[in-house]
Amino acid sequence: MKSMNWKTVLLLSVSFGICALAQTKSETPKKRDDLNKPLVIASQGSFFVGGDSKSLTAAPGPGGPGGGDITINQMYVQYQIPQDGDRHVPVVMVHGCCLSSKTWETTPDGRMGWSEYFVRKGRSVYLADQSSRARSGFDASILNSVRGGAVPPNQLPNVLMASHQTAWSVFRFGASFGKPFADEQFPIEAMEEFYKQMIPDLNSTLPNPNPTLKNMAALAVKVKGAVLMGHSESGFFPEQAALIDPSGVKGIISIEMPCPTMTAAQMSTLAKIPTVIMFGDHLSDVQGGPANWSANFDGCGRFVDQLKAAGGDAVMMHLPKLGIKGNSHMLMQDRNNLDLADLLIKWIDEHVEKASKKR
Amino acid sequence: MKSMNWKTVLLLSVSFGICALAQTKSETPKKRDDLNKPLVIASQGSFFVGGDSKSLTAAPGPGGPGGGDITINQMYVQYQIPQDGDRHVPVVMVHGCCLSSKTWETTPDGRMGWSEYFVRKGRSVYLADQSSRARSGFDASILNSVRGGAVPPNQLPNVLMASHQTAWSVFRFGASFGKPFADEQFPIEAMEEFYKQMIPDLNSTLPNPNPTLKNMAALAVKVKGAVLMGHSESGFFPEQAALIDPSGVKGIISIEMPCPTMTAAQMSTLAKIPTVIMFGDHLSDVQGGPANWSANFDGCGRFVDQLKAAGGDAVMMHLPKLGIKGNSHMLMQDRNNLDLADLLIKWIDEHVEKASKKR
């Protein structure tokens, strides 16, 4: 399945004023021919960053917690390094709420995801499962304590579960459940496969600050500098990681999230790091639901302005403004996902890599 | 870090009766030179097998469950297909208790794991996170129901958490906590990294029979025939999957598990599938703990005998009997892990692939 070439669409839109053409899935076989070539990997593997030991108290009775030490707060990282991978800055991708690193892999309808595409474009890619999610595990000791009666039920963590209905609202597949937008870029026909990506979010079991933040900062140092990418729940994690330790953070890609208010001191730190923020389409077209994308967009617009005012290199990529229409919140899985990846790779080249050579 | 060549060791052991040489980490540079070459992948990606929809009832009050539908019981699968991957039968690897597919990747001390090694040996490899574990997610609705007071705490699932102390006992790193066996093959110096692999096991949230079993059978069919490999908790899953649907199961690799008693009808089905069972060392040398490896080994010995009596091709690989000493329960991460992989690849070639050509 080929996706549209956004440049072509932009050109057509400008030339003829026919924005509806953005919905057309025009073929660009030449551009993507190389995706079917064998992928050559210099090295790949997985490891953990961070992690703390916790001693459990043994308690009597069936269902009570056993004793011993467990490890919690660790962050699982899976990586692939292409040949000549040291020619580009590595990219760390961190998924959002109720999802795992599956976010960046094969799309629900079976197309290539951003993780492999970035590798094919010569980037070393590190996929991190947030601490307390997926292969990073979580601290389950409270469950057995409540089960054994040692702790009252209201001490249980609030586990976030994204229902199918919530997904349609938060991920902006359509204005109401089951009814996609006319120009929806998400592969709606593969929705059942997407639902399988949504897994319980146990971030409420984590200490404050969230250990994923320091783990991301440590990962950036470990790989000798990286662009940190976050999405949605983790969209502002790159900034928060940089506020803990900016030394490894060479660039920040933040995708569709709320942007909290920063102090002048925080803004001064963040303004030293090239930052791009990406938002998709239909931000005001979904009524109700837990996310207010329009307000988030406005808040992040102010954040970009403040970064610039502090001397920073900050870009807001609002896709509809570039003539790219119909993108959902899961834009890394949308039909035009590789066109969006190209935008980000170009941004890295120009704002992170060329800029660092000038400095 | 190079590991011993088991054939050399076996030869030496037989020739000179010097079994202690099995502990020597002799260099075999020629044999493993190719591990540093770039890895060429024809295709890679991830997808899900199985999964069921579940409707949640909305309940009032803070912490009560929200409404809507969620997907549960799905199994996340990550794969790599080498060039000319269709020359060999694909291999499906499924991890054990309190672990994820990380089991098969980079070892705690940073050496190559079985997943990449099998790919480098021309095999398509599919890593499955068990349903209810890691990227497969789990049904967390009971947690929020208990938290909201709709369900009593004793209905919470018993979450298995492997403590560091349990790991030393069950995984046979030494006779007691912190004291490795003199000939221990597990990379003890990287124990902190191994502890991070251990994550909560929520299999008690699953319906009976465990959906992972039918998902494994379906995966074998989907890839047009596969060798199914299980370990420990999942060690007998390949057999159980084959009893649900044997049509895709071309071979079974079962590593260190209990072998339950089968009926004659079940044995008749299983005897049609080439089977190898692998057990490591020190089976009787760890006192106490939840696992009785000596009894498990004896039970699986009887299972192998019954398979043979039913006309099956069944092999028990008890590593110490082959002169290979000091292997832990996590033998796919032991220092000699690639030598053990070679044993299994040779078994696949001779018992699954050559045998199927004869039939």
Side-chain angles (χ1 to χ4, degrees), chain B residues 52-75:
Chain B
D52 305 298
S53 264
K54 177 178 176 174
S55 292
L56 302 179
T57 311
D69 305 306
I70 59 172
T71 297
I72 58 173
N73 301 333
Q74 69 272 33
M75 186 175 82

Side-chain angles (χ1 to χ4, degrees), chain A residues 49 75 92-94 128 130-131 210-223 226-230 234-242 244-245 248-249:
Chain A
V49 178
M75 186 176 81
V92 173
M93 302 182 180
V94 181
Q130 285 190 38
S131 294
N210 183 334
T212 297
L213 305 176
K214 71 175 177 197
N215 292 340
M216 286 174 69
L219 175 57
V221 170
K222 180 183 167 75
V223 303
V227 171
L228 298 184
M229 184 190 299
S234 71
F236 209 71
F237 283 10
E239 286 86 349
Q240 291 171 289
I244 292 173
D245 179 5
V249 187

Side-chain angles (χ1 to χ4, degrees), chain B residues 65-346:
Chain B
D69 305 306
I70 59 172
T71 297
I72 58 173
N73 301 333
Q74 69 272 33
M75 186 175 82
Y76 168 83
V77 181
Q78 203 169 29
Y79 70 93
Q80 288 192 314
I81 297 175
Q83 285 191 297
D84 302 318
D86 55 1
R87 289 172 54 198
H88 291 290
V89 180
V91 179
V92 173
M93 302 181 180
V94 182
H95 61 83
C97 169
C98 317
L99 297 164
S100 70
S101 292
K102 168 64 182 160
T103 295
W104 314 103
E105 300 175 336
T106 314
T107 66
D109 58 332
R111 289 171 293 111
M112 188 177 295
W114 281 10
S115 53
E116 179 172 338
Y117 187 71
F118 272 70
V119 172
R120 284 180 179 269
K121 292 295 177 180
R123 321 287 151 148
S124 300
V125 171
Y126 294 78
L127 302 184
D129 285 347
Q130 285 190 39
S131 294
S132 80
R133 195 89 48 82
R135 293 179 180 168
S136 296
F138 67 101
D139 182 1
S141 53
I142 185 75
L143 272 72
N144 287 348
S145 296
V146 171
R147 182 167 176 267
V151 174
N154 64 10
Q155 298 294 302
L156 279 174
N158 182 25
V159 183
L160 295 179
M161 290 179 290
S163 69
H164 304 173
Q165 289 78 4
T166 301
W168 276 79
S169 158
V170 173
F171 299 153
R172 299 196 315 278
F173 298 143
S176 61
F177 182 59
K179 293 183 182 166
F181 292 118
D183 63 353
E184 181 61 43
Q185 290 277 6
F186 193 82
I188 298 293
E189 72 279 10
M191 195 58 73
E192 292 301 319
E193 178 78 2
F194 175 70
Y195 291 154
K196 297 176 187 182
Q197 296 186 19
M198 298 194 296
I199 64 176
D201 183 324
L202 292 130
N203 280 16
S204 62
T205 61
L206 291 171
N208 186 13
N210 184 335
T212 297
L213 306 177
K214 70 176 178 196
N215 292 341
M216 287 174 69
L219 175 57
V221 170
K222 180 183 168 76
V223 302
K224 299 185 173 61
V227 171
L228 297 184
M229 183 189 300
H231 170 237
S232 197
E233 177 186 67
S234 71
F236 209 72
F237 283 11
E239 286 85 349
Q240 291 171 288
L243 291 174
I244 292 173
D245 178 5
S247 64
V249 187
K250 301 304 178 195
I252 287 176
I253 298 175
S254 287
I255 303 169
E256 291 214 354
M257 73 292 184
C259 286
T261 306
M262 296 280 105
T263 66
Q266 289 172 324
M267 206 51 90
S268 167
T269 299
L270 295 178
K272 296 183 179 70
I273 306 169
T275 298
V276 60
I277 296 178
M278 181 178 273
F279 270 84
D281 203 354
H282 296 298
L283 300 178
S284 309
D285 297 343
V286 177
Q287 304 304 319
N292 187 335
W293 291 119
S294 184
N296 290 338
F297 175 70
D298 291 343
C300 289
R302 287 190 293 274
F303 175 66
V304 166
D305 290 342
Q306 287 164 353
L307 280 175
K308 287 179 183 169
D313 172 10
V315 175
M316 171 62 84
M317 282 191 191
H318 186 201
L319 297 177
K321 281 233 175 114
L322 302 175
I324 305 171
K325 305 278 189 169
N327 276 108
S328 76
H329 181 54
M330 294 302 297
L331 46 80
M332 70 293 291
Q333 301 182 355
D334 283 348
R335 294 188 207 284
N336 59 347
N337 66 332
L338 302 187
D339 299 317
L340 308 185
D342 284 338
L343 285 178
L344 294 177
I345 289 168
K346 186 163 180 279

Side-chain angles (χ1 to χ4, degrees), chain A residues 39 41 44-46 48 50 69 71 74 76 78 80 102 105-106 144 147 156 159 164-165 193 196, chain B residues 39 41 44 46 48 50 69 71 74 76 78 80 102 105-106 144 147 156 159 164-165 193 196 200:
Chain A
L39 173 66
I41 299 290
Q44 64 176 13
S46 59
F48 291 89
D69 305 306
T71 297
Q74 69 272 33
Y76 169 83
Q78 202 169 29
Q80 289 193 314
K102 167 63 182 162
E105 300 176 336
T106 314
N144 287 347
R147 183 168 176 264
L156 279 175
V159 183
H164 304 173
Q165 289 78 4
E193 178 78 3
K196 297 176 187 181
Chain B
L39 173 65
I41 298 290
Q44 64 177 13
S46 60
F48 292 89
D69 305 306
T71 297
Q74 69 272 33
Y76 168 83
Q78 203 169 29
Q80 288 192 314
K102 168 64 182 160
E105 300 175 336
T106 314
N144 287 348
R147 182 167 176 267
L156 279 174
V159 183
H164 304 173
Q165 289 78 4
E193 178 78 2
K196 297 176 187 182

Side-chain angles (χ1 to χ4, degrees), chain A residues 301-357:
Chain A
R302 288 190 292 274
F303 175 67
V304 166
D305 290 342
Q306 288 164 352
L307 280 175
K308 286 178 182 170
D313 172 10
V315 175
M316 171 62 84
M317 282 191 193
H318 186 201
L319 298 178
K321 282 232 176 116
L322 303 175
I324 306 171
K325 306 279 188 169
N327 276 106
S328 76
H329 182 53
M330 294 302 298
L331 46 80
M332 70 292 291
Q333 301 181 355
D334 282 348
R335 294 189 207 284
N336 59 348
N337 66 333
L338 302 187
D339 299 319
L340 307 184
D342 285 338
L343 285 178
L344 295 176
I345 288 168
K346 186 163 179 278
W347 176 85
I348 293 172
D349 288 346
E350 294 178 355
H351 292 259
V352 179
E353 299 190 356
K354 280 186 197 162
S356 82
K357 278 173 197 158

